[in-house]
Amino acid sequence: MSNRLRHLTTLENLPRETIERLLDRAGTMRDGCAHGTRKLDLLAGRTVLNLFFEPSTRTRTSFELAARRLGADVINFDIGFSSTAKGEELFDTLHTLEAMHMDAIIVRHKESGTPESLVRHAMSGVAVINAGDGNRAHPTQGLLDALTIRQHHPDFSDLIVTICGDVKHSRVARSDVHAFSALGAKEIRLCGPASLMPDPAEVPGCKIYDNFDRAIEGAHAVIMLRLQKERMAATDLPDEQAYFTRYGLDGARLKRAAPGCLVMHPGPINRGIEIATDVADGAQSRILEQVANGVFVRMAVLAEVMGR
Amino acid sequence: MSNRLRHLTTLENLPRETIERLLDRAGTMRDGCAHGTRKLDLLAGRTVLNLFFEPSTRTRTSFELAARRLGADVINFDIGFSSTAKGEELFDTLHTLEAMHMDAIIVRHKESGTPESLVRHAMSGVAVINAGDGNRAHPTQGLLDALTIRQHHPDFSDLIVTICGDVKHSRVARSDVHAFSALGAKEIRLCGPASLMPDPAEVPGCKIYDNFDRAIEGAHAVIMLRLQKERMAATDLPDEQAYFTRYGLDGARLKRAAPGCLVMHPGPINRGIEIATDVADGAQSRILEQVANGVFVRMAVLAEVMGR
Amino acid sequence: MSNRLRHLTTLENLPRETIERLLDRAGTMRDGCAHGTRKLDLLAGRTVLNLFFEPSTRTRTSFELAARRLGADVINFDIGFSSTAKGEELFDTLHTLEAMHMDAIIVRHKESGTPESLVRHAMSGVAVINAGDGNRAHPTQGLLDALTIRQHHPDFSDLIVTICGDVKHSRVARSDVHAFSALGAKEIRLCGPASLMPDPAEVPGCKIYDNFDRAIEGAHAVIMLRLQKERMAATDLPDEQAYFTRYGLDGARLKRAAPGCLVMHPGPINRGIEIATDVADGAQSRILEQVANGVFVRMAVLAEVMGR
């Protein structure tokens, strides 16, 4: 595998074959698990470290499980979330961890670009995996969303997918767009209040909507983003109820989508703000499949970057 | 084992055979450890998650050790103790953990009944083990106390046991009463200030005492509860010294009990408040045996609920 | 090995053979790792517990890695750093952990002498390893510094080593002095502001300097201590720049040392306060080798105290 990934910092510019290889492998791991294979030993003897500068119990746990199910040791490096480590201080931490012979570092940081900085400053063969940096990228989320869609809708060439909410500040949305574009999605629609939409130049090929009823029309998958409540002010909507009325997903609105449209959300959900309870828990919801796929995608990524 | 436990939320209404089966198994594990068996692999490949909404390093560590000594992977899900997760938010967390293929969830929560809520809302075969809910139940503590008594006094039919302290707010006392009743104890006595005693209807068959000298008379085991200092006000006793004089266990008082009476405490102890130092550290103290038995009981419970 | 260590609380008074045996073993483990041996199973089935009353992610992680690479289970006992556990409370914690069958306890505490207190009060065969107590000792740091020097300068009989900074409050410096003396170093020089120098009676055989230019003259290794910024006041130097001018290590000053002088620091470094960036990152810097050696030394110590 001469072109295997050494790091995963973003899905941007990643070749379609690479993304498909990762999804194929995650799918194989999912099948193995369904047939009772609880653990593999691909990473026996390896050490994976969680370096989270922002708290995220769900994502950290998903990575921890993925690494352990491959037989790796996992260290949670508790840096304290008050730490604003950057620059030399951050690189000294990196070099210390390399000196301890870490095989992979999974990093979450509020500054966009931190994972690439780590890659540039790394002195050993340590693999860096981005678990979310600023507003920029959350590549394993993009992969798990692609895997979830592909499971139900294998041919992306006629796929219409709608992403709704605070797209502007969402690393999930950015990584989704990169994944779906690379896989040849027919149409990617972004929807939300104008103040929460990205610059169109940033998302070439995407269609931007203000009207969710139109954005969801005929969609095969709809991804609802979590509303950060402190962003409400930017929406020009008086309250959460008004936000839900315009940009929330309820049963009536879902009927405008294609039959069987997949309902997705990166979680944790705000019921009644971006998504109605009956839709979140309904037959079309794939939210828990996303969680399950998250572990398999992270297993595939860990195995890839560590060359196993 | 058609009637095996799938969950352990309370000892209330558990058949005597079930309790005895768990104690027998814990005893077998204790014997194995004494003969050098440090680890078993009954739970190899399984994942056990600690979901503690109240801090408790001792209990969490005891469960973590129990799970690891059975070969399981253990995840500490750090939800932050400021979280008051309940209702949908709690169930979304549960479903997320189930989607990640957890085999067992060990939960501690300040709201009574939380473990049963999790059982009712669980969608997979995940096992739920209560590590303490509100004032209600702490079933593994009840089991470990029973195991400790049985080790020294195998026949419960003539057993007199006295529980002293803030029984009203004690989940330990409730689970002890359930365990000792099921095992056919002859007499269970509860003692403490009237304001810290439960409604008698809640503890049928127990004798309630205000006078510790009388409550301890002829007892084969005495369990001293930890006094929560903030509860002092409710006792109508002016200070901790006065509390100790009336409800503390010292050497003179212990002489009123049956010869060799077992001295027990769930820990951590407040020396000089509920128990005198020379008694806590004396020849009749079983406090550290309780700690040791705690690991074996939790091993037995984990193996049982996971069907191994 | 009749004279094997049962505990490691300090290097003071440790025989030269013991220190050399530990260094030899750490060196063997380092060689094994270089040849691809990632894990050993010397401690399979054993449980090692981190009991840190002061935060130290680096040291805790180094011990955790060391224990895991020997196959042990590791428990991080999160006591909360606000805890000031001492006296009976601390010993009750110790006895609880012993009852849970811990094989080794790694302790860091701000009170000097805590590790010895634990050894004196232990009731089982549990091994106690000091990960830093007050100003007094940090024996694994002393060992890793000795290992790092020995790697480049095997014959201590002509070794001149200079330790510069706040020696008075440094447990690192004390353990370094004990290690280097035991190994027969020719000359140990201590340098820093008079207010940060220890009583000479405390460091027999060491030479005390106020002038760093003279202290570094001809040295084969220089160990820069981390300046605790709250100690600046005691230095009679107006600011960090002035401190650096007199006691910092820059390239010009390093030229006064012996050719190839090893530049060392226990980390994390304060660039521009005690050490210049180009020196910290320069060809003579051994700072990251120290980190790497820390894991191997801790592996050797764990194996020794647990009799493997």
Side-chain angles (χ1 to χ4, degrees):
Chain A
M1 247 191 320
S2 60
N3 63 340
R4 78 165 173 89
L5 282 182
R6 303 284 166 162
H7 307 281
L8 181 63
T9 60
T10 177
L11 300 179
E12 199 170 1
N13 302 323
L14 224 54
R16 178 173 185 153
E17 310 82 74
T18 305
I19 291 178
E20 289 186 331
R21 183 173 67 236
L22 291 169
L23 298 186
D24 290 347
R25 192 159 197 194
T28 303
M29 284 165 168
R30 185 177 58 206
D31 294 344
C33 178
H35 289 87
T37 304
R38 290 168 174 278
K39 292 192 79 162
L40 301 168
D41 62 0
L42 289 175
L43 300 186
R46 308 297 179 104
T47 309
V48 172
L49 183 128
N50 277 316
L51 184 64
F52 274 53
F53 292 92
E54 285 187 334
S56 171
T57 309
R58 292 163 52 111
T59 302
R60 187 186 60 68
T61 298
S62 181
F63 271 110
E64 182 171 350
L65 276 169
R68 292 209 197 183
R69 286 181 181 158
L70 294 172
D73 282 321
V74 181
I75 302 274
N76 290 309
F77 195 75
D78 300 315
I79 25 68
F81 300 124
S82 54
S83 170
T84 54
K86 47 187 178 178
E88 292 302 335
E89 189 192 341
L90 179 64
F91 304 136
D92 282 341
T93 296
L94 169 69
H95 297 147
T96 297
L97 296 172
E98 291 184 279
M100 291 180 183
H101 294 288
M102 295 298 164
D103 296 287
I105 294 176
I106 295 159
V107 63
R108 170 167 287 201
H109 201 285
K110 70 171 189 293
E111 303 257 335
S112 297
T114 299
E116 277 83 358
S117 290
L118 294 181
V119 169
R120 273 196 309 276
H121 285 82
M123 304 190 311
S124 70
V126 71
V128 175
I129 298 174
N130 183 3
D133 64 323
N135 298 332
R136 191 169 145 278
H138 190 356
T140 55
Q141 181 77 39
L143 291 172
L144 76 89
D145 286 342
L147 182 63
T148 305
I149 293 173
R150 206 178 72 159
Q151 196 170 353
H152 298 278
H153 193 107
D155 180 7
F156 271 58
S157 72
D158 72 349
L159 179 75
I160 302 174
V161 57
T162 303
I163 302 174
C164 181
D166 178 5
V167 177
K168 182 174 182 171
H169 301 97
S170 173
R171 53 195 176 204
V172 172
R174 271 174 190 68
S175 285
D176 278 346
V177 166
H178 294 141
F180 306 156
S181 301
L183 293 169
K186 180 179 174 192
E187 206 170 305
I188 303 173
R189 303 172 182 169
L190 308 177
C191 177
S195 54
L196 299 181
M197 285 293 104
D199 183 333
E202 235 202 292
V203 283
C206 296
K207 297 194 182 173
I208 294 187
Y209 291 76
D210 177 51
N211 182 314
F212 192 18
D213 286 330
R214 286 217 292 271
I216 200 173
E217 199 102 41
H220 303 101
V222 58
I223 297 175
M224 303 304 298
L225 301 175
R226 179 176 170 85
L227 184 71
Q228 304 299 324
K229 296 184 187 183
E230 65 276 18
R231 296 265 162 72
M232 267 304 294
T235 62
D236 282 328
L237 290 168
D239 57 26
E240 293 174 353
Q241 181 53 48
Y243 180 89
F244 181 70
T245 301
R246 283 192 55 189
Y247 300 106
L249 184 62
D250 62 11
R253 202 160 257 153
L254 182 56
K255 290 211 180 78
R256 307 177 73 94
C261 171
L262 311 172
V263 171
M264 296 167 63
H265 190 296
I269 61 177
N270 291 309
R271 291 164 184 268
I273 300 181
E274 66 257 358
I275 191 163
T277 278
D278 62 330
V279 172
D281 301 336
Q284 287 171 254
S285 173
R286 300 297 165 220
I287 297 174
L288 295 173
E289 283 178 27
Q290 290 173 274
V291 174
N293 283 333
V295 179
F296 300 117
V297 154
R298 288 166 183 131
M299 288 170 74
V301 169
L302 283 163
E304 166 100 6
V305 297
M306 285 192 263
R308 300 309 302 264
Chain B
M1 244 189 326
S2 61
N3 62 340
R4 79 166 172 88
L5 282 181
R6 303 284 165 162
H7 308 280
L8 180 64
T9 60
T10 176
L11 300 180
E12 199 170 2
N13 302 322
L14 224 53
R16 178 172 184 155
E17 309 82 73
T18 306
I19 291 178
E20 289 187 331
R21 184 173 66 237
L22 291 168
L23 298 186
D24 289 347
R25 194 159 194 193
T28 303
M29 285 163 166
R30 185 177 58 206
D31 294 345
C33 179
H35 289 89
T37 305
R38 289 168 174 276
K39 291 191 81 162
L40 302 169
D41 62 0
L42 290 175
L43 301 186
R46 310 297 179 102
T47 310
V48 172
L49 183 127
N50 278 315
L51 184 63
F52 275 52
F53 292 92
E54 285 187 334
S56 171
T57 309
R58 292 163 52 112
T59 302
R60 187 187 60 67
T61 298
S62 181
F63 271 111
E64 183 170 350
L65 277 170
R68 293 210 195 182
R69 287 181 180 158
L70 294 173
D73 281 321
V74 182
I75 302 275
N76 290 308
F77 195 76
D78 300 316
I79 23 72
F81 300 124
S82 55
S83 170
T84 53
K86 46 187 177 178
E88 292 302 334
E89 189 192 340
L90 178 64
F91 305 135
D92 282 343
T93 297
L94 168 69
H95 297 147
T96 297
L97 297 172
E98 291 185 277
M100 290 179 182
H101 294 288
M102 296 297 164
D103 296 287
I105 295 176
I106 295 159
V107 63
R108 170 168 286 200
H109 200 286
K110 70 171 188 293
E111 302 258 335
S112 297
T114 298
E116 277 84 358
S117 290
L118 295 181
V119 169
R120 274 195 308 276
H121 286 81
M123 303 190 312
S124 70
V126 71
V128 176
I129 297 174
N130 183 3
D133 64 323
N135 298 333
R136 192 169 145 278
H138 191 355
T140 55
Q141 180 77 40
L143 291 172
L144 76 88
D145 285 343
L147 182 64
T148 305
I149 293 175
R150 206 177 72 159
Q151 197 170 353
H152 297 279
H153 194 107
D155 181 6
F156 272 57
S157 70
D158 72 347
L159 179 76
I160 300 174
V161 56
T162 302
I163 303 174
C164 181
D166 178 4
V167 176
K168 183 175 182 171
H169 301 97
S170 172
R171 52 196 177 204
V172 172
R174 271 174 190 68
S175 286
D176 278 347
V177 167
H178 293 142
F180 305 157
S181 301
L183 293 169
K186 180 178 173 192
E187 206 170 303
I188 302 173
R189 301 172 183 170
L190 309 177
C191 177
S195 55
L196 299 181
M197 284 293 104
D199 183 333
E202 235 202 292
V203 284
C206 296
K207 296 194 183 173
I208 295 187
Y209 291 76
D210 176 52
N211 182 313
F212 192 19
D213 286 329
R214 286 216 294 269
I216 200 172
E217 197 101 41
H220 304 101
V222 57
I223 298 176
M224 303 305 298
L225 301 176
R226 179 175 170 86
L227 184 69
Q228 305 299 324
K229 296 186 186 180
E230 65 276 20
R231 296 267 163 73
M232 267 303 294
T235 62
D236 284 327
L237 291 167
D239 57 25
E240 292 174 352
Q241 180 53 49
Y243 180 88
F244 181 69
T245 301
R246 283 194 53 190
Y247 301 106
L249 184 62
D250 61 11
R253 202 159 256 153
L254 182 56
K255 291 212 179 79
R256 307 178 73 94
C261 172
L262 312 172
V263 171
M264 297 169 62
H265 189 296
I269 61 177
N270 290 309
R271 291 165 184 268
I273 300 181
E274 67 256 0
I275 192 163
T277 277
D278 61 331
V279 172
D281 300 338
Q284 286 172 253
S285 174
R286 302 297 165 219
I287 297 174
L288 296 173
E289 284 178 26
Q290 290 173 274
V291 174
N293 282 334
V295 178
F296 300 118
V297 154
R298 287 164 184 132
M299 288 171 73
V301 168
L302 284 163
E304 165 101 4
V305 298
M306 286 193 263
R308 301 308 303 264
Chain C
M1 243 189 325
S2 59
N3 62 340
R4 79 166 172 89
L5 281 182
R6 303 284 165 162
H7 308 281
L8 180 64
T9 60
T10 177
L11 300 180
E12 199 171 1
N13 302 323
L14 225 53
R16 179 173 184 154
E17 309 82 74
T18 305
I19 291 178
E20 289 186 331
R21 183 174 66 235
L22 291 168
L23 298 186
D24 289 348
R25 192 160 196 194
T28 303
M29 284 163 169
R30 184 177 60 207
D31 294 345
C33 179
H35 290 88
T37 304
R38 289 167 174 277
K39 289 190 83 161
L40 301 169
D41 61 0
L42 289 176
L43 300 186
R46 309 297 179 103
T47 310
V48 172
L49 183 129
N50 278 316
L51 183 65
F52 274 53
F53 293 91
E54 286 187 334
S56 171
T57 309
R58 291 163 53 113
T59 302
R60 188 187 60 68
T61 298
S62 181
F63 271 110
E64 183 171 350
L65 277 169
R68 292 210 197 182
R69 287 181 179 157
L70 293 172
D73 282 321
V74 182
I75 302 275
N76 290 308
F77 196 75
D78 300 316
I79 23 68
F81 300 124
S82 55
S83 170
T84 54
K86 48 185 178 177
E88 291 303 334
E89 190 192 341
L90 178 63
F91 304 136
D92 283 341
T93 297
L94 168 68
H95 298 146
T96 297
L97 297 172
E98 291 184 277
M100 290 179 181
H101 295 288
M102 295 298 164
D103 296 288
I105 294 177
I106 296 158
V107 62
R108 170 168 287 202
H109 200 286
K110 70 171 190 293
E111 301 257 336
S112 297
T114 298
E116 277 83 358
S117 290
L118 294 181
V119 169
R120 274 195 308 275
H121 285 81
M123 303 189 313
S124 69
V126 71
V128 175
I129 298 173
N130 184 3
D133 64 323
N135 297 335
R136 190 168 147 277
H138 191 355
T140 55
Q141 180 76 40
L143 291 172
L144 76 88
D145 285 342
L147 181 64
T148 305
I149 293 174
R150 207 178 70 160
Q151 197 171 353
H152 298 278
H153 193 106
D155 180 6
F156 272 58
S157 71
D158 73 349
L159 179 76
I160 301 174
V161 57
T162 302
I163 303 174
C164 181
D166 178 5
V167 177
K168 183 176 183 171
H169 301 96
S170 171
R171 53 196 176 203
V172 172
R174 272 174 190 69
S175 285
D176 278 346
V177 167
H178 294 143
F180 305 157
S181 302
L183 294 168
K186 179 179 174 193
E187 206 170 305
I188 303 173
R189 302 173 182 169
L190 308 177
C191 178
S195 55
L196 299 181
M197 284 294 105
D199 183 333
E202 235 201 293
V203 284
C206 295
K207 297 194 182 175
I208 294 186
Y209 290 77
D210 177 52
N211 183 313
F212 192 18
D213 286 329
R214 286 216 292 271
I216 201 172
E217 199 101 41
H220 304 101
V222 58
I223 298 176
M224 303 304 299
L225 301 176
R226 179 174 170 86
L227 184 70
Q228 305 299 324
K229 296 185 187 181
E230 65 276 18
R231 297 265 163 73
M232 268 304 295
T235 63
D236 284 326
L237 291 166
D239 57 25
E240 293 174 352
Q241 181 53 49
Y243 181 89
F244 181 70
T245 302
R246 284 193 53 190
Y247 301 106
L249 184 62
D250 61 12
R253 203 160 255 154
L254 182 56
K255 291 211 180 79
R256 307 177 74 94
C261 172
L262 311 171
V263 171
M264 298 167 62
H265 190 295
I269 61 178
N270 291 309
R271 290 163 185 270
I273 299 181
E274 66 256 359
I275 192 163
T277 277
D278 62 331
V279 172
D281 300 337
Q284 286 171 254
S285 173
R286 301 296 165 220
I287 297 174
L288 296 173
E289 285 178 27
Q290 290 173 275
V291 174
N293 282 334
V295 179
F296 300 118
V297 154
R298 287 165 184 130
M299 288 171 74
V301 169
L302 283 164
E304 165 101 5
V305 297
M306 286 193 264
R308 302 309 302 266

